[in-house]
Amino acid sequence: MFKSRKGGNIGRVQAYRIIPTAAEALDFNTNVSCHSLRKTFGYHAWKSGASPTVLMEIFNHSNYAITRRYLGVTQDDKDEVYCKLENAF
């Protein structure tokens, strides 16, 4: 995602330095970290139709319950599925 001036990707430590600084420069009013970007990627991938099983593999989680908690699946998300099905019939 981030390229080094020397070629190749930057390391994890450098990313931890860049991301909060960039968020501050953009006047974000919340803490932004590599981890929050990872979780945001997962949430939006899931909401866009990515299989939670595939996301579990991407995140290297040992079981689906961890991935579900990680994605922040809420009761509203579950209700949305039921409503879509009800409207389909």
Side-chain angles (χ1 to χ4, degrees), residues 40-86:
T40 300
F41 158 78
Y43 179 79
H44 287 288
W46 171 63
K47 291 298 268 187
S48 296
S51 165
T53 306
V54 172
L55 292 172
M56 184 179 103
E57 290 290 322
I58 289 171
F59 292 139
N60 198 29
H61 290 159
S62 58
N63 63 59
Y64 177 67
I66 295 169
T67 304
R68 187 179 67 234
R69 190 173 60 243
Y70 197 79
L71 295 175
V73 176
T74 64
Q75 186 61 48
D76 288 343
D77 295 315
K78 295 176 202 177
D79 292 346
E80 182 181 331
V81 171
Y82 292 129
C83 288
K84 284 181 181 177
L85 287 175
E86 284 178 3

